[in-house]
């Protein structure tokens, strides 16, 4: 059984947490411009100052490795009788993972699941000052959240930083009454730092290698901290640690594909913002039948955990799944991180773009790759999921997340088709590069920004056609005809 990697990749866009603490001989698709345009529209210097010294965090967490294993020491400088873990999802096999992974050793302190969240508290109701916890790394996937740890076959390990984030509450009763999606603005701030310490070992944090220890402000973006001796493969554009136990054929394919993919994206889209993009790829063994591929992308980091007996033998479908995952997820270093949407309703901008960029990049890099089935599936899914009277902006609230992928992809294909009228070699990466160049300064792309760039690509004639096609019924009529023609609606450009 194959895990849904696209569903796993969306996990941070589910519940929102208070942040405390992206050749030659290749054939290009050509799309009927009028129909795609009709589809597209209806979806729809600071001064230098002396820095103040940093304040001491309200919570300091030291995650340390010694002969007895891993220990997390919490020191609280803000007084509260209860501290709850913001991220308390069960594992996909319905295990309350933190209760299995964390064992409190400080006398008088309990760790329990109170209502919707795991929480630390004293039995006598007094404020917590210091708590020590023995940690057994838990690597099984969670429901709509990141795995707490990635385990590597050579003993390497990666911890997800923000599973250690806690927030203060006034009492156990308040914790039990906290809704699953609380008003995070009403939760008291408690800035925290996480220090990961493993003397004599190497750590990888946001693409940077450090020795012995590293401190991460939990007010910043979430990430995984890798601890281990696995070989680091680095290019000018990318760095990766791949589990040495990974089946040889998988490792060979990834070594051949990933660096070239990142080089191609950088060449076409420019250098992404922030630190060097990094990948962590863990092999979790072949004990189970079938195969499992789970992963996600976060700030400058893409992670993947693979397992299962089916992974031991080379298989074209498995290889296609791996390429699709990395093609989509690594594009988010550009369209998703260098540029972010302004609100969840505009998720179609990043997810649709990532789908098409992955397809186009694979088409460029892999000989004999046929993009047609994937592109046709995008159109079919969009028409099925986003029918009459359903604006794309409401897909998030409806829970139609797949519509954001498929219809967002259809919009990008419309922009691509518009660009091809002037430049036969233009493609989706050309359009996304225009988006990046126009909006890189503030790092945000809105629906209005997208439409402005689209209008520049389409020109006045197409923009006029757009203005005439602003009703859901017109959208469905045009897109329906295009879909019914099937393959005849897609022509190839040599």
């Amino acid at each position: 059984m194959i895990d849904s990697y696209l569903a796993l990749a969306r996990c941070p866009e589910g519940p929102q947490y208070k942040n405390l603490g992206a050749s030659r001989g290749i054939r290009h698709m050509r799309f009927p411009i009028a129909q795609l345009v009709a589809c597209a529209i209806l979806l729809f210097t600071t001064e230098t100052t002396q820095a103040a010294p940093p304040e001491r965090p309200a919570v300091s967490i030291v995650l340390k490795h010694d002969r007895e294993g891993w220990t997390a020491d919490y020191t609280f400088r803000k007084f509260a009788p209860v501290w709850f873990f913001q991220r308390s999802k069960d594992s996909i096999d319905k295990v309350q993972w933190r209760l299995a992974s964390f064992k409190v050793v400080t006398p008088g302190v309990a760790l329990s699941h109170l209502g919707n969240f795991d929480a630390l508290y004293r039995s006598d109701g007094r404020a917590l000052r210091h708590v020590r916890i023995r940690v057994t790394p838990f690597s099984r996937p969670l429901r709509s959240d990141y795995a707490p740890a990635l385990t590597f076959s050579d003993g390497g390990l990666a911890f997800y930083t923000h599973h250690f984030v806690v927030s203060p509450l006034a009492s156990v009763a308040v914790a039990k009454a906290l809704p699953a999606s609380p008003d995070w603005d009403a939760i008291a701030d408690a800035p925290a730092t996480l220090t990961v310490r493993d003397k004599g070992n190497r750590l990888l944090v946001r693409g940077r290698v450090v020795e012995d220890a590293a401190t991460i402000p939990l007010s910043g973006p979430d990430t995984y901290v890798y601890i281990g001796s696995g070989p680091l493969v680095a290019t000018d554009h990318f760095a990766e640690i791949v589990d040495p136990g990974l089946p040889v054929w998988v490792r060979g394919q990834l070594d051949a594909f990933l660096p070239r993919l990142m080089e191609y994206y950088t060449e076409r889209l420019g250098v992404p913002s922030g630190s060097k993009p990094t990948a962590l790829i863990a092999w979790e063994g072949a004990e189970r039948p079938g195969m499992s591929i789970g992963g996600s992308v976060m700030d400058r980091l893409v992670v993947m955990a693979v397992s299962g007996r089916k992974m031991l033998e080379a298989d074209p479908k498995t290889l296609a799944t791996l390429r699709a995952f990395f093609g989509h997820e690594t594009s988010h270093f550009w369209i998703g991180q260098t540029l972010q949407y302004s609100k969840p309703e505009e998720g179609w901008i990043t997810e649709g773009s990532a789908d098409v960029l992955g397809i186009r990049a694979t088409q460029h890099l892999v000989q004999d790759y046929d993009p047609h089935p994937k592109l046709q599936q995008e159109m079919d899914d969009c028409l099925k999921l986003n029918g009459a009277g359903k604006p794309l902006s409401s897909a998030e609230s409806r829970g139609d997340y797949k519509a954001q992928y498929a219809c967002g992809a259809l919009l990008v294909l419309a922009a691509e088709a518009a660009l091809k009228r002037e430049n036969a070699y233009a493609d989706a990466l050309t359009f996304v590069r225009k988006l990046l160049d126009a909006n890189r300064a503030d790092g945000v792309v809105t629906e209005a920004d997208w439409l402005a760039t689209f209008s520049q690509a389409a020109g006045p004639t197409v923009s006029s056609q757009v203005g005439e096609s602003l009703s859901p019924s017109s959208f469905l009529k045009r897109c329906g005809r295009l879909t019914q023609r099937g393959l005849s609606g897609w022509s190839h450009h040599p």
Side-chain angles (χ1 to χ4, degrees):
M1 180 176 179
I2 303 176
D3 291 343
S4 177
Y5 60 88
L6 286 179
L8 285 171
R10 288 192 51 83
C11 63
E13 297 176 20
Q16 299 297 309
Y17 302 99
K18 186 171 184 179
N19 196 1
L20 298 177
S23 72
R24 181 181 177 88
I26 295 293
R27 299 180 299 175
H28 296 275
M29 292 293 186
R30 185 172 62 206
F31 305 93
I33 180 65
Q35 290 92 334
L36 281 175
V37 167
C39 297
I41 295 308
L42 292 160
L43 290 175
F44 262 131
T45 67
T46 60
E47 295 183 7
T48 302
T49 59
Q50 183 67 35
E55 295 183 4
R56 297 177 72 190
V59 184
S60 296
I61 309 157
V62 177
L63 180 63
K64 182 176 65 175
H65 186 239
D66 56 26
R67 294 179 181 179
E68 297 182 9
W70 287 94
T71 301
D73 283 303
Y74 279 76
T75 301
F76 302 97
R77 297 185 180 90
K78 186 170 189 172
F79 299 148
V82 178
W83 290 81
F84 79 98
F85 291 89
Q86 290 187 7
R87 311 179 82 113
S88 296
K89 296 286 188 181
D90 293 346
S91 67
I92 59 174
D93 51 358
K94 299 181 179 180
V95 172
Q96 292 179 335
W97 74 267
R98 192 174 278 110
L99 303 188
S101 175
F102 286 17
K103 299 300 180 185
V104 176
V105 297
T106 301
V109 178
L111 170 64
S112 300
H113 192 76
L114 304 178
N116 294 298
F117 295 92
D118 301 329
L120 294 167
Y121 59 95
R122 287 187 62 93
S123 56
D124 57 12
R126 293 162 53 196
L128 295 175
R129 300 299 298 272
H130 176 81
V131 177
R132 173 164 289 182
I133 301 170
R134 290 291 183 192
V135 177
T136 302
F138 188 98
S139 61
R140 297 204 294 276
L142 305 188
R143 292 186 301 110
S144 302
D145 207 348
Y146 295 111
L150 302 176
T151 54
F152 292 72
S153 62
D154 62 349
L157 189 64
F159 283 105
Y160 176 66
T161 55
H162 282 45
H163 279 313
F164 292 92
V165 173
V166 291
S167 294
L169 291 174
S171 67
V172 168
V174 172
K176 289 181 177 179
L178 204 63
S181 298
D183 178 5
W184 292 109
D185 290 334
I187 303 296
D189 282 340
T193 59
L194 172 67
T195 298
V196 182
R197 185 173 294 152
D198 191 2
K199 188 172 179 57
N201 223 330
R202 183 190 63 181
L203 288 76
L204 180 67
V205 186
R206 304 192 192 286
R208 184 170 61 94
V209 175
V210 295
E211 299 293 332
D212 297 334
T215 297
I216 304 100
L218 295 181
S219 58
D222 52 350
T223 190
Y224 279 89
V225 176
Y226 169 83
I227 310 102
S229 57
L232 175 66
V233 178
T235 69
D236 291 341
H237 309 295
F238 188 57
E240 65 176 0
I241 289 182
V242 179
D243 196 317
L246 201 67
V248 173
W249 79 270
V250 177
R251 176 65 187 260
Q253 290 293 340
L254 292 180
D255 285 348
F257 181 72
L258 262 178
R260 293 172 60 225
L261 175 68
M262 295 302 295
E263 181 179 3
Y264 181 64
Y265 276 152
T266 304
E267 175 189 328
R268 295 293 311 276
L269 302 176
V271 177
S273 63
S275 56
K276 180 185 292 188
T278 306
L280 295 176
I281 305 170
W283 169 245
E284 297 187 335
E287 289 76 18
R288 290 172 290 183
M291 75 171 183
S292 173
I293 300 175
S296 50
V297 66
M298 55 192 69
D299 185 53
R300 321 305 164 203
L301 176 68
V302 60
V303 298
M304 172 180 275
V306 297
S307 63
R309 285 196 290 274
K310 191 174 180 181
M311 295 293 298
L312 297 177
E313 297 182 5
D315 177 72
K317 290 184 178 179
T318 302
L319 180 57
T321 299
L322 292 170
R323 286 172 175 163
F325 172 86
F326 283 109
H328 176 105
E329 297 301 339
T330 58
S331 75
H332 279 314
F333 294 136
W334 286 266
I335 188 73
Q337 294 184 14
T338 300
L339 288 188
Q340 303 178 32
Y341 55 68
S342 64
K343 53 187 177 181
E345 292 81 5
E346 294 172 344
W348 60 266
I349 296 174
T350 57
E351 297 304 344
S353 296
D355 266 7
V356 181
L357 292 186
I359 292 169
R360 290 301 187 217
T362 304
Q363 182 180 0
H364 175 80
L365 296 171
V366 179
Q367 187 177 10
D368 298 327
Y369 172 78
D370 181 10
H372 173 267
K374 295 286 290 184
L375 296 175
Q376 184 68 55
Q377 188 65 52
E378 300 279 18
M379 172 169 284
D380 293 345
D381 288 344
C382 179
L383 295 177
K384 178 180 178 181
L385 295 168
N386 219 75
K390 293 183 178 181
L392 183 55
S393 59
S394 69
E396 171 81 15
S397 60
R398 298 194 312 264
D400 287 340
Y401 300 119
K402 197 171 183 179
Q404 291 194 320
Y405 289 76
C407 296
L410 193 58
L411 287 162
V412 174
L413 291 173
E416 181 183 77
L419 286 170
K420 281 184 176 293
R421 296 183 315 142
E422 302 297 330
N423 178 5
Y425 296 100
D427 58 11
L429 285 93
T430 311
F431 177 74
V432 171
R433 178 62 183 260
K434 291 179 180 293
L435 275 180
L436 285 160
D437 291 345
N439 300 285
R440 189 183 287 262
D442 65 1
V444 176
V445 57
T446 65
E447 181 178 304
D449 295 330
W450 193 97
L451 288 173
T453 303
F454 176 82
S455 295
Q456 293 175 6
T461 303
V462 176
S463 295
S464 175
Q465 294 174 342
V466 165
E468 298 170 358
S469 305
L470 295 178
S471 70
S473 60
S474 174
F475 163 74
L476 287 174
K477 184 176 180 181
R478 289 172 182 266
C479 286
R481 288 201 302 266
L482 183 60
T483 303
Q484 288 169 5
R485 286 202 298 272
L487 294 177
S488 64
W490 311 86
S491 56
H492 292 288
H493 191 291

